[in-house]
Amino acid sequence: MTKFKRTVRTLDFWTLASYFVLFLIITPIIYILFNLFNETSEQTKTLLNSSLKEYFVNSLIIIFFTAIFTTIIGVFLAYFEAFYEFKFRKFFNFALVLPFAVPNYLFAYLYADFFSYSGWLVVWLRQNFGIKLHFDMMNIYGAIFIFTISFYPYVYIILRGFLAKFSMNLIESAKSLGKSNTCIFFRVILPLSKAAIVAGAGLCVMESLNAFGTPNYYGVHVFSTGIYKAWVGYGDINAAIKLAGILLFIVFFLMFVERIFRKPYAVTTSKQKVFKRQKLSKKAQNIVVGLFFIIFFISFLFPMINLSIWLKRSFSDVDWAHIINISANTLLLTVFSTIFIIIISLFLTTISRSQKGKTKELSNALANMGYSIPGSIIAIGMLVIFIWLDKNLSGIYHFFGINKSLFLTLSPIILIFAYVIRFLSLGYNGIEAGLNRCGKSCYEASLSLGYGRLVTFFKVDFSMIKTSIYSAFILIFIEIIKELPLSSLLSAPNFRTLAFEIDRYASDEQLAMTAVPSLIIIIFCFVLLSVFYKLQKKDKF
């Protein structure tokens, strides 16, 4: 009890404020957990009994094979990029992260159309050579393929960053014992890289669970599509909550397993010798470059070729006034949400900087929780909370002459709060990494001179972590502008986003019409990825 009182006395206003903000962020998750065991209606029982097993099995198959394939591709790319010199290495260093600029659901539409009976190559082969080619992408195997080419950069980037700091002494020690490069890879590099590989694969798994557009279009029934079907299709919020709660437990279990496997070996990753990449033989170089190009072609170049064909087909039918309107909506919503997330991240990381032990661990865990939670879970949590707020604020709405009974629920505000919960981790971790690199000496010196935390931040910290803030802004912006699960469930009827519009065209089988809104998203993401790449090189981030 004495220890508890001492802890309470040490809490100042700003620390309490940070806990309040974190509590608001996890409120939708808490709500779902508390309502998971409510009495189940007959309609909900019927829906769950008929579909739950299929959702679970399909989700398990997808995340298992997506994790395996993204790991194989990511490890292969990162290993050769980090340790060997070959033609076009610098080009591939940037080109192989470009799939991040393309929403995974757009990959799904492009490849499904290409391999369909009316795909341009299929038609050309049939008309000119009588070759009847047909490959069905609209199934669970197609979904795994799409997730693999969309999410492998997570493994590639994280492992590449780890290997860039790998101790060369370990490799040279192994070589002095007569070990081959293959043996060193499997016996030294791979085991010591386990934590980085699992971290990347874990992100691929979480993104696969979060994805909505791809399984929905391919007719693969998973939890994200089931939640959408329960709420939008049947209007059964109780079933949606049950499914979201079950998915939440699956996510928590996967996070627990990931944490166990991420425990790294106790080894330094700082280079103690000047790093020099090995040169490949001509034959090996041709094979490596060929494989790198195939991955780049499948995951970016080929989809862009198909997208340009769609653009040519649909250009004359585009309603440019409508496109400009939804582009303005998307840009306004994305910029405002990103700035809001950055401000909250700066506040929380500044407070967390003075925390220690379990208190700091708790703050970090709560701030990072949202990114591991699929958007469909967050959306359902936000819906039930905002509907409850609207019901309780109806008197105030009437007083101010607001005739909408669901004023907040049908406004962009709900999307902004959902984005904050989902993507706070990107801002929090990016800014915290920048603060950790700066150290605490200047910060503590400023406090000892009587300056407050706010003044210290603007006078001392801000100039040292500007690059981290810009980098976090870019990553958050890219994730928000591509986000579909939240947009599909929470977009107001009069405030659509580009992602929602793309999904609407695809649902109406107007795939060519998705070209313009898709290219707007890709251009924004491509430009920002280019800036991010330069910031990384400048800051050695």
Side-chain angles (χ1 to χ4, degrees), residues 289-416:
V289 172
L291 290 173
F292 269 58
F293 180 77
I294 289 171
I295 294 169
F296 170 64
F297 181 79
I298 292 173
S299 63
F300 187 77
L301 188 58
F302 182 70
M304 292 304 99
I305 293 171
N306 282 276
L307 194 61
S308 65
I309 294 172
W310 282 3
L311 179 64
K312 185 179 178 181
R313 288 180 190 169
S314 63
F315 193 82
S316 59
D317 298 323
V318 174
D319 183 350
W320 291 103
H322 179 63
I323 290 294
I324 291 171
N325 181 50
I326 61 171
S327 298
N329 287 346
T330 304
L331 188 60
L332 180 65
L333 183 68
T334 305
V335 170
F336 187 84
S337 301
T338 304
I339 292 173
F340 195 35
I341 292 171
I342 291 294
I343 291 171
I344 294 175
S345 300
L346 287 169
F347 169 69
L348 292 176
T349 50
T350 302
I351 302 302
S352 173
R353 203 175 187 189
S354 60
Q355 296 174 340
K356 295 179 180 178
K358 297 293 183 182
T359 306
K360 187 177 181 68
E361 289 180 13
L362 178 62
S363 298
N364 289 342
L366 293 177
N368 288 311
M369 183 178 292
Y371 197 66
S372 300
I373 306 300
S376 53
I377 295 177
I378 296 171
I380 291 301
M382 296 301 296
L383 275 171
V384 291
I385 289 173
F386 271 69
I387 290 171
W388 177 84
L389 283 173
D390 279 326
K391 286 181 179 178
N392 286 274
L393 295 174
S394 58
I396 297 174
Y397 296 162
H398 180 72
F399 178 79
F400 284 102
I402 300 173
N403 297 321
K404 296 179 181 178
S405 59
L406 296 176
F407 176 69
L408 290 175
T409 307
L410 297 178
S411 72
I413 295 173
I414 189 173
L415 257 180
I416 293 170

Side-chain angles (χ1 to χ4, degrees), residues 64-77:
F64 178 76
F65 285 103
T66 298
I68 289 176
F69 294 143
T70 52
T71 298
I72 291 171
I73 293 173
V75 169
F76 164 74
L77 296 175

Side-chain angles (χ1 to χ4, degrees), residues 212-220 222 225 228 503 507:
F212 167 76
T214 297
N216 184 54
Y217 188 71
Y218 280 14
V220 180
V222 293
T225 59
Y228 181 87
D503 183 62
S507 299

